[in-house]
Amino acid sequence: AVLAELRALAGQAAEREEGFKQQQAEGDERRRRSSLEDGVSFAGVMPRRFATALMVRFRLIPSWRVSHVQHALAQRLRRWSKQPDERPAGISSPPETAELLEYVESVGLQALAEEG
């Protein structure tokens, strides 16, 4: 009986956690869409923990280069938001971290850093 109660509690906790994650993801998407329309900085446009993922994937240290890449990406994301026909295939709106990292690799880290 005690084991069944513990399993039920664990199931309820997992459901609450899943609901919280879903709610957070929806809030992030709303924030990013809003920032695409109004913002001028990359803040709010990029997915959560994007800078960390960028540094890990391309073995960068925290520096101006990371900020410049994010600025260049934010400019492109805003342009694609206004002109969806210019958005490359495979990039959703707003794009997820994996899509952006693939895009950075295809365009070139240095080119984006110089653009930003």
Side-chain angles (χ1 to χ4, degrees):
V2 173
L3 186 57
E5 286 179 37
L6 288 174
R7 285 187 178 144
L9 287 174
Q12 291 171 357
E15 287 175 16
R16 282 194 305 270
E17 180 71 23
E18 187 60 36
F20 174 73
K21 285 181 182 179
Q22 180 67 29
Q23 195 175 28
Q24 187 178 27
E26 291 169 359
D28 284 348
E29 186 169 335
R30 280 192 305 273
R31 172 188 54 82
R32 291 178 64 209
R33 285 190 188 281
S34 173
S35 293
L36 274 174
E37 295 170 7
D38 322 326
V40 292
S41 171
F42 64 83
V45 175
M46 308 311 289
R48 287 185 186 267
R49 296 175 290 282
F50 176 75
T52 302
L54 182 71
M55 289 185 288
V56 169
R57 171 94 175 249
F58 296 100
R59 298 182 179 150
L60 302 173
I61 58 171
S63 67
W64 60 268
R65 178 179 247 175
V66 174
S67 296
H68 286 204
V69 168
Q70 290 183 96
H71 277 291
L73 286 173
Q75 289 172 345
R76 291 178 185 215
L77 291 174
R78 286 192 176 94
R79 188 174 66 234
W80 298 337
S81 177
K82 291 176 182 152
Q83 300 167 340
D85 54 316
E86 290 185 10
R87 183 181 319 125
I91 301 284
S92 61
S93 181
E96 297 300 321
T97 299
E99 294 172 309
L100 286 173
L101 292 175
E102 291 298 319
Y103 181 75
V104 168
E105 190 167 331
S106 70
V107 171
L109 186 70
Q110 187 61 33
L112 288 169
E114 289 172 2
E115 182 181 318

